[in-house]
Amino acid sequence: MADDFFIVLRNMLESRPEVSEIHCVKDAKVPLMRFKFDGISVDLPYAQLKLLYVPENLNVLNPYFLRNIDETSWKSLSGVRANECILQLVPNVENFQSILRCIKLWAKRRGVYGNLFGYFGGVHLAILAAFVCQKNPHANLNVLMSSFFKTFSGWPWPTPIVLEDGRLPTGGTRETRALMPIQLPCSPYGYCHSNITKSTFYRITTELTLGHALTRDLLRLDFDWNDIFEPFCYSKKYSRFIKIYLSSSNQDELGDWVGWVKSRFRFLLAKVEEVQGLCDPNPTEFIAPDAGEPNVVFFWGVQPGRINFSDIDVVEDDFTQNINNGGYQGPPGKMNLSVIPTSQLPGYAQLDTGSRNRTKACWRMFNYHQPRVPVFSQHLPLYFVGYAATGKDAKRLDAWS
């Protein structure tokens, strides 16, 4: 892992023109490289199998290939194995992929996507989408979306989400620590790793309730799907923000430093909740253009409460100690925390990411009687992407992209 993965493979990826923003997360429970491939965010974990060679048609669900692997490799493979299981359990793969894209768009626009920030990650949303598809096997996309919000806005958490896979209920080990437990759909049937806290639990459930209120009547005259995907307006919600400023001496080192600090955000969020109460960790990364050094800035919303500048100094000291004690192997960068009122937000922090500067979500019902041409990924030929747009649809989608 240290040489072949984080050095050799990283150098190979950096030489590819499609790859950008690459950085390594070496000391996490699941070591990985995070980068963008043709603009698509990719998490590439590492796993070592006890094999002389790895076949191209490797079936990660086959227990033969998983014999005697170490705990880190097992955790790295859990997400891949979950994805394979989900595709086998959903009644309609195309419907599942469609609703998952919509749910991810909703979660990103509403600021409740990102496991490192205490929100849902990709595997969480995939299982929730599959759960809705199983309960509504013949529903179209509109009904699936409405059912998603109806189901989970009223879900009796912490009752776990468990996909139906033909097994008889066993009453196995229940997750007692997680606020929103979601069971992985493959042996040994553990639970998705979750960083959800009381603050992010409140935000997620609030957004699910709002989504249900907006989609409970799809036939009303003023119904508009764009309302579901309207970006969350932080500056109107919060009067103050915690500013997290991260910087490094050069751009190459910045990515690894930011990735390392983000992997410790759960500790920071818990500490802020301890001294302040509820906190909304906005996952959006900003850049301060006049700082004179490579940097990334976050703004977390907080309501009026106990926190003041002396409190944030204590939080910063504790968080700095947590970062330094974690064993970061690269050149450490700088980190600074401060509290600023909404009126003093810098111009580059466009927290009102609403319709003024963003194209609205493109949503319409398909005519399923019209011939459609399936489109598959150019990099993964068996991965279904969607259907080719024609005529006015093609112009609309070109403008949106």
Side-chain angles (χ1 to χ4, degrees):
M1 179 169 62
D3 296 327
D4 298 322
F5 185 71
F6 282 123
I7 296 178
V8 177
L9 182 57
R10 173 175 177 157
N11 291 338
M12 293 171 62
L13 291 171
E14 285 184 327
S15 67
R16 295 290 297 266
E18 310 98 325
V19 177
S20 62
E21 301 180 26
I22 184 171
H23 65 271
C24 301
V25 183
K26 300 180 180 179
D27 300 296
K29 293 181 179 179
V30 178
L32 54 82
M33 280 190 286
R34 182 169 287 128
F35 54 89
K36 289 188 176 180
F37 190 95
D38 277 343
I40 299 174
S41 297
V42 176
D43 282 354
L44 184 65
Y46 171 86
Q48 184 180 34
L49 306 183
K50 301 298 183 180
L51 301 172
L52 293 178
Y53 71 95
V54 179
E56 292 187 8
N57 60 342
L58 174 70
N59 179 8
V60 294
L61 299 181
N62 188 336
Y64 171 80
F65 296 114
L66 306 178
R67 295 177 304 169
N68 302 320
I69 65 173
D70 58 84
E71 183 179 0
T72 297
S73 297
W74 180 264
K75 291 179 179 178
S76 296
L77 286 172
S78 63
V80 180
R81 298 176 70 244
N83 289 338
E84 292 290 335
C85 286
I86 290 172
L87 293 176
Q88 296 180 10
L89 295 177
V90 294
N92 185 306
V93 173
E94 293 181 16
N95 282 351
F96 163 72
Q97 292 176 333
S98 295
I99 185 178
L100 182 55
R101 291 190 191 97
C102 295
I103 293 172
K104 281 189 175 182
L105 176 63
W106 162 79
K108 291 178 179 180
R109 291 283 183 89
R110 301 303 297 175
V112 291
Y113 184 81
N115 189 41
L116 294 178
F117 295 85
Y119 294 115
F120 287 136
V123 67
H124 303 91
L125 294 182
I127 295 174
L128 296 183
F131 186 87
V132 172
C133 289
Q134 285 188 336
K135 299 300 182 183
N136 304 271
H138 305 295
N140 62 28
L141 185 54
N142 287 340
V143 174
L144 288 174
M145 283 293 291
S146 178
S147 178
F148 170 81
F149 290 113
K150 179 180 179 181
T151 299
F152 297 117
S153 63
W155 190 262
W157 305 106
T159 302
I161 303 296
V162 181
L163 293 182
E164 298 177 3
D165 61 358
R167 297 180 301 124
L168 293 175
T170 60
T173 303
R174 292 176 64 91
E175 175 60 64
T176 59
R177 296 170 298 173
L179 294 172
M180 308 180 84
I182 300 174
Q183 189 181 81
L184 290 166
C186 51
S187 175
Y189 302 102
Y191 288 85
C192 300
H193 175 70
S194 174
N195 291 319
I196 294 174
T197 69
K198 61 181 181 180
S199 292
T200 55
F201 175 80
Y202 173 79
R203 269 281 279 133
I204 292 171
T205 53
T206 298
E207 289 301 327
L208 288 170
T209 301
L210 175 61
H212 176 47
L214 293 173
T215 59
R216 66 173 56 183
D217 185 5
L218 300 178
L219 299 180
R220 72 176 191 269
L221 295 179
D222 61 341
F223 177 78
D224 187 353
W225 277 112
N226 289 315
D227 295 338
I228 309 300
F229 303 104
E230 186 67 27
F232 185 78
C233 190
Y234 288 90
S235 62
K236 291 183 179 179
K237 177 68 174 179
Y238 302 109
S239 60
R240 290 188 297 178
F241 290 86
I242 295 177
K243 177 183 177 182
I244 307 169
Y245 177 84
L246 306 175
S247 63
S248 185
S249 58
N250 64 69
Q251 193 66 42
D252 291 336
E253 297 174 355
L254 179 65
D256 290 346
W257 172 242
V258 173
W260 170 252
V261 176
K262 287 169 63 176
S263 72
R264 323 294 288 190
F265 268 174
R266 178 178 174 81
F267 176 88
L268 176 59
L269 181 55
K271 194 65 181 180
V272 172
E273 289 181 348
E274 178 183 323
V275 300
Q276 156 67 21
L278 296 182
C279 173
D280 186 353
N282 181 3
T284 307
E285 299 183 5
F286 299 93
I287 298 176
D290 301 326
E293 59 185 351
N295 67 87
V296 167
V297 188
F298 298 91
F299 294 93
W300 291 8
V302 290
Q303 296 286 12
R306 301 183 300 273
I307 199 167
N308 54 43
F309 288 98
S310 61
D311 290 325
I312 202 65
D313 290 340
V314 174
V315 172
E316 180 176 348
D317 291 342
D318 288 349
F319 187 46
T320 300
Q321 183 177 358
N322 179 269
I323 293 173
N324 294 336
N325 291 342
Y328 179 62
Q329 299 178 359
K334 293 186 292 185
M335 188 273 298
N336 175 260
L337 301 183
S338 59
V339 177
I340 61 174
T342 302
S343 59
Q344 295 181 13
L345 283 171
Y348 63 82
Q350 296 296 321
L351 298 181
D352 296 335
T353 54
S355 57
R356 293 197 305 268
N357 300 316
R358 186 192 292 268
T359 304
K360 288 279 191 175
C362 205
W363 184 283
R364 66 186 294 271
M365 293 187 66
F366 289 105
N367 179 0
Y368 289 97
H369 299 288
Q370 179 181 348
R372 296 180 294 164
V373 179
V375 177
F376 297 88
S377 169
Q378 59 177 320
H379 305 293
L380 297 172
L382 298 181
Y383 183 79
F384 174 79
V385 175
Y387 291 99
T390 57
K392 295 181 180 179
D393 290 338
K395 295 180 180 178
R396 184 186 297 114
L397 291 173
D398 286 342
W400 189 26
S401 60

Coordinates of all heavy atoms in Angstrom, one line a residue, residues 54 86 89 94 104 125 127 131 186 189 205 234 237 246 249 251 257 260 279 316 347-348 371 395:
V54 N -4.7 -11.3 -9.6 CA -6.1 -10.9 -9.5 C -6.8 -11.1 -10.9 O -6.4 -10.4 -11.8 CB -6.3 -9.5 -9.0 CG1 -7.8 -9.1 -8.9 CG2 -5.6 -9.3 -7.6
I86 N -26.5 -4.7 -3.9 CA -27.7 -3.8 -4.2 C -28.2 -4.0 -5.6 O -29.4 -4.2 -5.9 CB -27.3 -2.4 -4.0 CG1 -27.1 -2.1 -2.5 CG2 -28.4 -1.4 -4.5 CD1 -26.6 -0.7 -2.2
L89 N -30.4 -7.0 -5.8 CA -31.6 -7.0 -5.0 C -32.7 -6.1 -5.4 O -33.8 -6.2 -5.1 CB -31.2 -6.6 -3.5 CG -30.3 -7.6 -2.8 CD1 -29.9 -7.1 -1.4 CD2 -30.9 -9.0 -2.7
E94 N -32.5 0.2 -13.7 CA -32.6 1.6 -14.3 C -33.3 2.5 -13.4 O -32.9 3.7 -13.2 CB -33.3 1.5 -15.7 CG -32.4 0.8 -16.7 CD -33.1 0.7 -18.1 OE1 -34.1 1.5 -18.3 OE2 -32.7 -0.1 -18.9
K104 N -29.0 12.0 -4.8 CA -27.7 12.6 -4.6 C -27.7 14.0 -4.9 O -27.1 14.9 -4.2 CB -26.7 11.8 -5.4 CG -26.2 10.5 -4.8 CD -25.0 10.0 -5.6 CE -24.4 8.7 -4.9 NZ -23.2 8.2 -5.6
L125 N -27.0 6.5 0.8 CA -28.1 6.9 -0.1 C -28.4 5.7 -1.1 O -29.6 5.6 -1.4 CB -27.7 8.1 -0.9 CG -27.5 9.4 -0.1 CD1 -27.2 10.6 -1.0 CD2 -28.8 9.7 0.7
I127 N -28.4 2.5 -0.4 CA -29.3 1.5 0.3 C -30.6 2.1 0.5 O -31.7 1.4 0.4 CB -28.6 1.1 1.6 CG1 -27.3 0.4 1.3 CG2 -29.5 0.3 2.5 CD1 -26.5 0.0 2.6
F131 N -34.0 0.5 -0.9 CA -35.1 0.2 0.0 C -36.5 0.7 -0.6 O -37.5 -0.1 -0.6 CB -34.9 0.8 1.3 CG -35.9 0.5 2.4 CD1 -35.7 -0.7 3.2 CD2 -37.0 1.2 2.6 CE1 -36.6 -1.0 4.2 CE2 -37.9 0.9 3.6 CZ -37.7 -0.2 4.4
C186 N -24.8 -7.3 2.6 CA -24.0 -8.5 2.2 C -23.3 -9.0 3.5 O -23.1 -8.3 4.5 CB -23.0 -8.2 1.2 SG -22.0 -6.7 1.5
Y189 N -23.2 -8.8 7.1 CA -24.3 -8.0 7.5 C -24.0 -7.0 8.6 O -24.8 -7.0 9.6 CB -25.5 -8.8 7.8 CG -25.9 -9.7 6.6 CD1 -25.6 -11.1 6.7 CD2 -26.6 -9.2 5.5 CE1 -25.9 -11.9 5.6 CE2 -26.8 -10.1 4.4 CZ -26.5 -11.4 4.5 OH -26.8 -12.2 3.4
T205 N -33.1 15.1 9.1 CA -34.6 14.8 9.3 C -35.4 16.1 8.9 O -36.5 15.9 8.4 CB -34.8 14.4 10.7 OG1 -34.3 15.4 11.6 CG2 -34.2 13.1 11.0
Y234 N -27.7 29.2 3.3 CA -27.1 29.2 4.6 C -27.1 30.6 5.2 O -27.4 30.8 6.4 CB -25.6 28.8 4.5 CG -25.5 27.3 4.3 CD1 -25.4 26.8 3.0 CD2 -25.3 26.4 5.3 CE1 -25.2 25.4 2.8 CE2 -25.2 25.1 5.1 CZ -25.1 24.6 3.8 OH -25.0 23.2 3.6
K237 N -30.3 31.4 6.9 CA -30.6 30.6 8.1 C -29.8 30.9 9.3 O -30.3 30.8 10.4 CB -30.4 29.1 7.6 CG -30.6 28.1 8.7 CD -32.1 28.0 9.1 CE -32.3 26.9 10.1 NZ -33.7 26.8 10.5
L246 N -7.7 26.4 5.9 CA -6.7 25.4 5.8 C -5.7 25.9 4.7 O -6.2 26.3 3.6 CB -7.2 24.1 5.5 CG -8.3 23.5 6.4 CD1 -8.8 22.2 5.9 CD2 -7.7 23.3 7.8
S249 N 2.0 25.2 1.9 CA 3.0 26.0 1.2 C 3.0 25.8 -0.3 O 3.4 26.7 -1.0 CB 4.4 25.6 1.7 OG 4.6 24.2 1.5
Q251 N 0.6 23.8 -3.8 CA -0.7 23.2 -4.1 C -0.7 21.7 -4.0 O -1.7 21.1 -3.7 CB -1.1 23.6 -5.6 CG -2.5 23.3 -6.0 CD -3.5 24.2 -5.2 OE1 -3.3 25.4 -5.0 NE2 -4.6 23.5 -4.8
W257 N -3.2 17.6 2.8 CA -3.5 18.2 4.1 C -5.0 18.4 4.4 O -5.5 18.1 5.5 CB -2.7 19.5 4.2 CG -3.0 20.4 5.4 CD1 -3.6 21.6 5.4 CD2 -2.8 20.1 6.8 NE1 -3.7 22.1 6.7 CE2 -3.2 21.2 7.5 CE3 -2.2 19.0 7.4 CZ2 -3.1 21.2 8.9 CZ3 -2.1 19.0 8.8 CH2 -2.6 20.1 9.5
W260 N -6.6 15.1 5.1 CA -6.3 14.6 6.5 C -7.2 15.3 7.5 O -7.8 14.7 8.4 CB -4.9 14.8 6.8 CG -4.5 14.6 8.2 CD1 -4.2 15.5 9.2 CD2 -4.5 13.3 8.9 NE1 -3.9 14.9 10.4 CE2 -4.1 13.6 10.2 CE3 -4.7 12.0 8.5 CZ2 -4.0 12.5 11.2 CZ3 -4.6 11.0 9.4 CH2 -4.3 11.3 10.8
C279 N -24.8 22.6 15.2 CA -23.9 23.2 14.2 C -24.2 22.6 12.9 O -24.5 21.4 12.8 CB -22.4 22.9 14.6 SG -21.2 23.4 13.4
E316 N -10.1 25.2 18.9 CA -9.0 25.2 17.9 C -7.8 24.4 18.5 O -7.2 23.6 17.9 CB -8.6 26.6 17.5 CG -7.4 26.5 16.5 CD -7.1 27.9 16.0 OE1 -7.9 28.9 16.2 OE2 -6.0 28.0 15.3
G347 N -16.6 38.0 0.0 CA -17.3 37.9 -1.3 C -17.2 36.6 -2.0 O -18.1 36.2 -2.7
Y348 N -16.1 35.9 -1.8 CA -15.9 34.6 -2.4 C -16.8 33.5 -1.9 O -17.0 32.4 -2.5 CB -14.4 34.2 -2.4 CG -13.9 33.9 -1.0 CD1 -14.1 32.7 -0.4 CD2 -13.1 34.8 -0.4 CE1 -13.6 32.4 0.9 CE2 -12.6 34.6 0.9 CZ -12.8 33.4 1.5 OH -12.3 33.2 2.8
P371 N -39.0 5.3 -28.9 CA -37.8 4.5 -28.9 C -36.7 5.3 -28.2 O -36.5 6.5 -28.4 CB -37.5 4.3 -30.4 CG -38.8 4.4 -31.1 CD -39.6 5.4 -30.3
K395 N -30.9 19.8 -26.7 CA -30.5 21.2 -26.6 C -30.6 21.6 -25.1 O -29.7 22.3 -24.6 CB -31.4 22.1 -27.4 CG -31.2 21.8 -28.9 CD -32.1 22.8 -29.7 CE -31.9 22.5 -31.2 NZ -32.8 23.4 -32.0

